[in-house]
Amino acid sequence: MRILGEVLPEKKYQSQHGNSYDNTYPVIKTKITEFKSAKNAKNYTEAAEIQLLDKMRRERLDSAKEYSKGGRSDLAATEIVEAEIISKLLPKSPSESELNLEVKNWIKKNNYIVEKESSEYQVNRIPLIEEYEQIPKKEMGRCIKEIKEKLPLADGGLLSTIVKKYLV
């Protein structure tokens, strides 16, 4: 999808300019091909692609940490550079405010806005009506799943915490 169009031209550029970390791009292409041809392969969507690249990036960073612990700073540096190359292909992770906005949009889209009378009154003793955004507990999983599909790099723990604020 998106990466095959970006990776191949950039790889050609890297090769012409003698980058010693050329092997990152063939590895990405191989991982994508493996994903597509796996026995129980899911549909290869942009979200799946982002998750695959994020996993590869995290693997490189974990490897770099282990190489550093083992005193192999040369290998750690290579892994860090590869993680940076992969990071350039990923969109930025959504912030807490962006996730909060997505949860509110999901609530509105699914009509989980409850109107309640306030203890305060307007003129002529007419009670104020306030709107509260609430999610039933049974819908928490669906909410998180739909938002994660839309924003694959969203931090699951942070998203869960935000959704719990709105639980009934």
Side-chain angles (χ1 to χ4, degrees):
M1 295 201 76
R2 181 178 66 87
I3 294 303
L4 290 179
E6 288 180 22
V7 169
L8 297 178
E10 192 161 331
K11 181 182 178 340
K12 187 182 287 184
Y13 171 82
Q14 295 284 337
S15 296
Q16 290 170 353
H17 293 84
N19 189 340
S20 61
Y21 303 106
D22 261 350
N23 65 337
T24 305
Y25 295 104
V27 169
I28 291 171
K29 188 174 179 190
T30 301
K31 288 284 187 182
I32 290 171
T33 305
E34 286 174 3
F35 183 88
K36 287 179 176 179
S37 62
K39 206 172 199 176
N40 297 327
K42 299 179 193 173
N43 290 338
Y44 186 70
T45 62
E46 191 168 335
E49 181 178 277
I50 291 170
Q51 288 173 339
L52 180 69
L53 288 172
D54 188 46
K55 179 182 176 190
M56 290 175 68
R57 182 188 59 81
R58 282 184 278 126
E59 287 171 353
R60 299 296 183 288
L61 293 174
D62 290 343
S63 296
K65 187 186 294 183
E66 292 301 316
Y67 285 138
S68 294
K69 285 181 186 175
R72 297 295 309 264
S73 58
D74 55 328
L75 294 175
T78 303
E79 293 292 331
I80 289 171
V81 169
E82 289 181 6
E84 289 172 359
I85 291 170
I86 294 170
S87 293
K88 289 178 184 175
L89 299 171
L90 290 168
K92 71 176 189 78
S93 297
S95 67
E96 184 174 352
S97 60
E98 291 170 327
L99 288 176
N100 206 6
L101 182 64
E102 278 301 318
V103 171
K104 286 183 177 189
N105 289 339
W106 185 89
I107 290 170
K108 288 176 184 169
K109 181 181 94 175
N110 291 286
N111 273 342
Y112 289 123
I113 297 177
V114 179
E115 292 181 350
K116 291 186 180 178
E117 288 185 8
S118 172
S119 58
E120 298 177 21
Y121 291 95
Q122 289 180 338
V123 185
N124 298 333
R125 306 290 294 165
I126 300 171
L128 287 173
I129 306 260
E130 294 182 5
E131 290 185 346
Y132 296 96
E133 297 158 331
Q134 297 180 334
I135 302 174
K137 283 186 181 180
K138 66 179 183 177
E139 296 295 327
M140 180 180 174
R142 192 180 81 160
C143 175
I144 291 173
K145 180 182 175 190
E146 288 180 16
I147 293 173
K148 283 288 282 181
E149 286 173 359
K150 189 173 181 181
L151 303 169
L153 288 180
D155 177 20
L158 178 60
L159 180 57
S160 176
T161 304
I162 292 170
V163 170
K164 285 178 184 175
K165 291 179 190 175
Y166 295 101
L167 287 181
V168 177

